[in-house]
Amino acid sequence: MSTTPPVLAAELALAWSDIQRHHPELPDLAAPESLIGESSSACGAQLSFERLLHEAVHGIAAARGVRDTSRAGRYHNRRFLAIAEELGLEHLEEPHPSSGFSLVVMNAATRRRYRRTAERLQQALSAHLAATAADTKRSFRGPAARHGSSGGGVRVKAVCDCGRNVRVVPSVLAQAPIVCGACNKPFRIAGAAEPVTAAA
């Protein structure tokens, strides 16, 4: 099995399509690769089929025009929980003070329904992680990594030579330079000597 991100993105898209078969109102996943390597403590730190179902709850909420979170997307409310239950997820504990009902898990029927899809996605994720683990020492993860954070969805300050700054996820900046419209120079992570450039 190939371990390149495009193949993993394709597996994510296939898993999403399987969810759509059971829940046709779920919108298409515009950019499956956006889920690779990104994390959100409120939505789940690790990418998995269960996390994909969690994201599908947000997708259906958006399609219905339902506000399912508050506090900048951290607190998952009872409207989120109601849609989660429609998708076969359950919340087994009291709501968390800061993330609400975000920690949903698949019930037994849902695990049976998506068993093959979840296993296939897990194989692709495991292969991808194994292939990228060797590159950890050579990849730049930004200041957040130095402070013990996962860094996945954490935005850091990037600056340009004219003094303008933006907040950006380091992995996004590493994909290709973001160029300042005022001075035409690339933004770089504050404190880094050189702009972060895309890997060859």
Side-chain angles (χ1 to χ4, degrees), residues 36 50 91 117 119 170 193:
I36 301 171
E50 198 163 67
H91 192 275
T117 302
E119 287 173 355

Side-chain angles (χ1 to χ4, degrees), residues 74 84 158 161-162:
R74 289 186 305 275
D161 288 346
C162 71

Side-chain angles (χ1 to χ4, degrees), residues 1 7 30 34 44 46 66 84 91 95 97 100 107 148 172 176 181 197:
M1 177 182 293
V7 172
S34 67
Q46 292 186 331
V66 172
H91 192 275
N107 62 32
V172 171
T197 56

Side-chain angles (χ1 to χ4, degrees), residues 102-186:
S102 68
L103 300 177
V104 287
V105 296
M106 290 187 283
N107 62 32
T110 306
R111 282 195 301 273
R112 285 192 300 272
R113 174 185 299 151
Y114 294 114
R115 182 179 60 83
R116 288 183 182 157
T117 302
E119 287 173 355
R120 182 174 170 145
L121 179 59
Q122 189 55 51
Q123 286 177 348
L125 285 165
S126 296
H128 175 72
L129 289 172
T132 56
D135 289 337
T136 308
K137 291 181 180 177
R138 296 188 303 131
S139 61
F140 176 78
R141 292 181 59 213
R146 294 196 296 271
H147 297 291
S149 168
S150 68
V154 177
R155 286 174 167 74
V156 296
K157 184 176 179 180
V159 297
C160 70
D161 288 346
C162 71
R164 297 177 73 213
N165 66 74
V166 295
R167 291 278 176 185
V168 63
V169 176
S171 62
V172 171
L173 192 58
Q175 292 171 10
I178 298 174
V179 179
C180 175
C183 69
N184 290 322
K185 297 288 176 83

Side-chain angles (χ1 to χ4, degrees), residues 72-86:
R74 289 186 305 275
Y75 190 87
H76 293 55
N77 60 33
R78 290 189 183 278
R79 291 183 290 275
F80 170 86
L81 180 59
I83 299 171
E85 289 171 345
E86 290 178 37

